[in-house]
C-alpha cells in the first residue's frame, strides 16, 4: 500500500511539473503555417489594438480591417493580419484568401519608421508576371495624403489580361494637374521572366528617383525592357520629386471595385518576399 501510494504521488508530481513547463517556456514563432509543415512567425496584437511583426530587423505594422460592412482602401477590400507571416527561412509571405461570401481578405504591412534618401531593394521569389489579372502586388512609399508623395512598384495588369505587368509610378510632391487623381508620372512594360526570382530597387535623391528591376536575386541581370535601359527609369521633374521621409509598404490586394468584372478564380494567392534592404 505504502509503495503504491508513493508511486502514485511521484507520477502525479512529474505530470504536474511537465505541464507547468509548457506554460513557462515561451513559444514565440511556434505557430504552424498554412501547410502545417514549417514554423512561422505571425503578427502580434499590441495593447494599442495594432498588429505588428518584426522582419529584417524592422518593426512593421500589419493592416487588420476584416469588417465586411466597412471596407478599407485600396479597392474597397477587407484585410487580415492572418494573411501575413514570416517562415522559418525568414521569408515574408502575403496572401489573399477567398471568403464564403465571395469577398477576399487582403494583406498589407508598413514600417513604423519613415525613410528618406537612399536605396530601397526588395527580393521576390514569386512569378509576378503570372499573378491573376486583377491582383496588385505593391512595393512602395506613401506620405499619407492621396495623390502626392508616393513612389510605387506595382506588379499587376490592372484587370486587363493584355496589359503590361510591371509598373513604375511617382506621384508628385505637390498637385500640378487639374485632376489630382492623375497627378503622377507612370511607365509600364512587360518582361519575360527566367525564374521565380526577381529584384526590384529604386534610389531616392533630392532631385531624382531611379527605378531598376533585375532577374534573379542581385543587381547584375537587368530587365532588358526597362525604359531607360541600364540607366534605369528616372523621374527628375524639377520641383516635383518627393523629398519627405515616408513609411515603406508591402501590399497584396484586389480590384474589388470592379465587382462586375471580378474573375479571380483562385481560392488563395500568395506572394513571397525574401528580403528588403534600405541603404542610406
Amino acid at each position: 500500500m505504502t509503495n503504491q501510494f508513493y508511486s502514485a504521488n511521484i507520477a502525479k508530481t512529474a505530470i504536474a511539473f511537465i505541464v507547468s513547463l509548457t506554460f513557462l517556456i515561451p513559444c514565440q514563432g511556434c505557430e504552424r503555417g498554412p501547410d502545417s509543415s514549417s514554423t512561422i512567425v505571425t503578427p502580434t496584437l499590441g495593447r494599442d489594438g495594432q498588429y505588428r511583426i518584426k522582419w529584417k530587423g524592422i518593426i512593421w505594422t500589419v493592416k487588420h480591417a476584416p469588417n465586411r460592412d466597412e471596407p478599407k482602401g485600396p479597392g474597397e477590400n477587407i484585410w487580415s493580419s492572418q494573411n501575413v507571416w514570416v517562415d522559418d527561412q525568414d521569408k515574408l509571405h502575403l496572401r489573399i484568401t477567398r471568403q464564403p461570401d465571395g469577398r477576399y481578405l487582403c494583406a498589407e504591412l508598413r514600417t513604423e519608421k519613415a525613410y528618406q534618401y537612399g536605396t530601397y531593394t526588395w527580393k521576390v521569389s514569386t512569378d509576378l508576371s503570372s499573378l491573376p489579372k486583377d491582383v496588385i502586388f505593391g512595393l512602395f512609399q506613401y506620405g499619407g495624403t492621396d495623390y502626392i508623395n508616393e513612389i510605387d512598384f506595382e506588379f499587376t495588369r490592372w484587370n486587363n489580361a493584355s496589359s503590361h505587368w510591371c509598373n513604375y509610378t511617382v506621384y508628385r510632391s505637390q498637385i500640378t494637374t487639374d485632376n489630382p487623381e492623375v497627378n503622377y508620372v507612370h511607365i509600364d512594360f512587360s518582361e519575360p521572366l527566367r525564374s521565380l526570382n526577381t529584384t526590384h530597387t529604386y534610389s531616392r535623391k533630392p532631385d531624382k528617383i531611379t527605378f531598376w528591376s533585375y532577374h534573379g536575386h542581385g543587381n547584375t541581370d537587368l530587365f532588358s525592357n526597362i525604359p531607360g535601359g541600364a540607366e534605369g527609369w528616372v523621374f527628375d521633374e524639377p520641383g516635383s520629386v518627393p523629398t519627405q521621409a515616408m513609411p515603406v509598404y508591402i501590399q497584396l490586394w484586389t480590384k474589388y471595385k470592379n465587382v462586375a468584372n471580378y474573375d479571380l478564380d483562385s481560392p488563395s494567392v500568395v506572394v513571397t518576399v525574401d528580403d528588403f534592404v534600405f541603404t542610406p
Side-chain angles (χ1 to χ4, degrees):
M1 287 288 293
T2 302
N3 288 339
Q4 290 177 350
F5 175 79
Y6 282 122
S7 297
N9 276 344
I10 291 172
K12 290 179 181 178
T13 301
I15 292 171
F17 177 72
I18 292 171
V19 170
S20 69
L21 282 179
T22 64
F23 292 97
L24 292 174
I25 298 174
C27 193
Q28 297 177 349
C30 66
E31 297 184 45
R32 290 292 171 183
D35 60 359
S36 299
S37 63
S38 61
T39 302
I40 67 170
V41 176
T42 56
T44 300
L45 181 61
R47 293 182 178 178
D48 58 357
Q50 175 66 61
Y51 283 88
R52 293 176 176 83
I53 193 168
K54 187 174 183 180
W55 180 61
K56 300 302 176 183
I58 299 170
I59 301 298
W60 305 75
T61 60
V62 180
K63 195 170 189 174
H64 188 79
N67 188 344
R68 290 164 177 77
D69 298 324
E70 297 180 5
K72 305 293 184 182
E76 296 182 359
N77 284 291
I78 48 179
W79 308 79
S80 176
S81 61
Q82 295 179 6
N83 282 1
V84 173
W85 71 93
V86 176
D87 68 21
D88 55 2
Q89 297 181 338
D90 202 30
K91 296 181 181 182
L92 175 70
H93 300 260
L94 290 84
R95 177 177 58 184
I96 297 174
T97 48
R98 183 181 177 90
Q99 303 303 291
D101 64 0
R103 302 200 67 177
Y104 286 81
L105 279 172
C106 300
E108 177 189 285
L109 63 164
R110 68 175 176 88
T111 59
E112 288 196 318
K113 179 181 176 181
Y115 298 83
Q116 194 178 27
Y117 303 128
T119 301
Y120 300 74
T121 301
W122 293 264
K123 296 179 180 179
V124 181
S125 56
T126 297
D127 183 353
L128 300 179
S129 69
S130 296
L131 292 176
K133 67 184 178 68
D134 46 5
V135 166
I136 301 95
F137 174 59
L139 308 170
F140 63 101
Q141 286 182 280
Y142 170 56
T145 301
D146 287 348
Y147 313 130
I148 60 173
N149 294 315
E150 186 172 340
I151 306 166
D152 296 283
F153 285 111
E154 288 168 309
F155 305 100
T156 181
R157 298 184 188 273
W158 298 115
N159 208 31
N160 184 340
S162 63
S163 294
H164 292 309
W165 62 269
C166 193
N167 300 261
Y168 302 164
T169 305
V170 176
Y171 280 83
R172 299 177 176 94
S173 59
Q174 55 188 334
I175 300 294
T176 64
T177 59
D178 293 335
N179 179 3
E181 293 188 13
V182 295
N183 186 51
Y184 58 79
V185 177
H186 167 86
I187 63 102
D188 57 71
F189 65 97
S190 290
E191 179 85 6
L193 295 185
R194 300 169 189 164
S195 72
L196 299 179
N197 297 337
T198 53
T199 299
H200 308 278
T201 183
Y202 61 70
S203 171
R204 288 187 64 187
K205 296 181 179 180
D207 60 346
K208 71 176 181 178
I209 301 168
T210 308
F211 291 74
W212 297 271
S213 291
Y214 300 90
H215 295 281
H217 287 166
N219 61 355
T220 58
D221 193 0
L222 188 70
F223 277 18
S224 59
N225 292 331
I226 292 179
E231 300 300 319
W233 181 69
V234 177
F235 176 80
D236 57 0
E237 189 177 291
S240 295
V241 177
T243 58
Q244 76 177 65
M246 301 183 286
V248 174
Y249 287 74
I250 303 176
Q251 188 182 75
L252 187 67
W253 57 286
T254 72
K255 288 287 286 182
Y256 190 77
K257 286 181 180 179
N258 298 335
V259 176
N261 193 27
Y262 192 87
D263 63 353
L264 178 63
D265 58 3
S266 173
S268 180
V269 174
V270 178
V271 172
T272 302
V273 186
D274 291 44
D275 199 9
F276 167 72
V277 176
F278 168 71
T279 305

